[in-house]
Amino acid sequence: MEPDILELESFLPYRLYRLADTVSREFSRIYNERHGLTRPEWRTLSGLGECGTMTATELGEQSAMHKTKVSRAVAELERRRWLTRTPDESDRRVEHLALTKAGLAAYREMVPLAKAFERELLGRLSEEERTAITRGVAALEGALSAT
C-alpha cells in the first residue's frame, strides 16, 4: 500500500502562499527602486501611514511579521529619520511609533503607486474573475477569523 502523496501544486494553502509571495515580490520592486525599502520596512511604513501611531506589537499583528523583522524595520526607518519612538508613560517597555514628516511624505508618495499596482494587477482579470477573487478572499478571511 503506497502512502498518500500531497500534490503541492494543487494544494490551496500552498497555491495561496505562492501567489501572495509572487504578488508581494512584484510590488516590492516598486518601493525598493523608489526608496530602497525591504518588504518589512514597507509593511512598517504602510502600517504606520494607514493607522498613525502604533506599538511594535500592534505592527507585528497588523502585518503578520515576526517581532524581530518589525524591530529591524523600525530601526532602519528610525535611522532614515522616517519614524520616531515615544516611550509609553505608564509602561516604559512599550514605545509608540509614528512617522515623521519625511516618513509620511515617503508613504504618501507610495500610496498612488500601490493603488496603480493593484489596478494593473486586477486589470489582468475579467470583471467576473475580479468579483470572484474579491468574494473568495473575503469568504476565506471570514471563515478563518471565526476559528
Side-chain angles (χ1 to χ4, degrees):
M1 181 169 144
E2 290 187 32
D4 286 340
I5 294 175
L6 178 64
E7 294 180 23
L8 286 178
E9 296 303 320
S10 61
F11 183 56
L12 184 61
Y14 180 75
R15 292 176 65 201
L16 290 171
Y17 166 76
R18 293 274 309 262
L19 177 61
D21 189 61
T22 299
V23 171
S24 182
R25 285 182 191 280
E26 195 169 316
F27 179 55
S28 74
R29 285 197 287 266
I30 296 170
Y31 55 77
N32 185 275
E33 287 173 8
R34 195 68 139 208
H35 293 290
L37 294 172
T38 63
R39 285 195 279 182
E41 291 161 5
W42 162 249
R43 290 177 186 153
T44 300
L45 180 74
S46 62
L48 291 171
E50 178 187 5
C51 300
T53 302
M54 300 174 79
T55 65
T57 300
E58 291 168 338
L59 263 169
E61 290 170 0
Q62 185 253 4
S63 64
M65 283 193 296
H66 189 272
K67 62 184 177 181
T68 57
K69 286 191 184 253
V70 173
S71 178
R72 287 184 193 126
V74 165
E76 175 56 24
L77 294 180
E78 184 178 38
R79 186 193 69 75
R80 291 176 182 236
R81 297 198 166 123
W82 283 11
L83 70 72
T84 58
R85 303 176 196 231
T86 305
D88 187 274
E89 292 180 13
S90 62
D91 186 348
R92 292 290 184 200
R93 296 171 298 174
V94 176
E95 294 178 317
H96 298 278
L97 309 171
L99 294 180
T100 62
K101 286 182 183 179
L104 194 55
Y107 169 74
R108 288 184 175 150
E109 177 189 335
M110 290 303 303
V111 168
L113 299 175
K115 289 181 177 183
F117 175 82
E118 181 183 44
R119 275 191 310 276
E120 190 275 327
L121 181 67
L122 290 173
R124 299 177 192 183
L125 305 175
S126 70
E127 183 64 39
E128 281 183 8
E129 290 168 328
R130 285 192 296 272
T131 300
I133 197 161
T134 301
R135 285 184 180 160
V137 168
L140 276 174
E141 288 171 335
L144 293 172
S145 71
T147 57

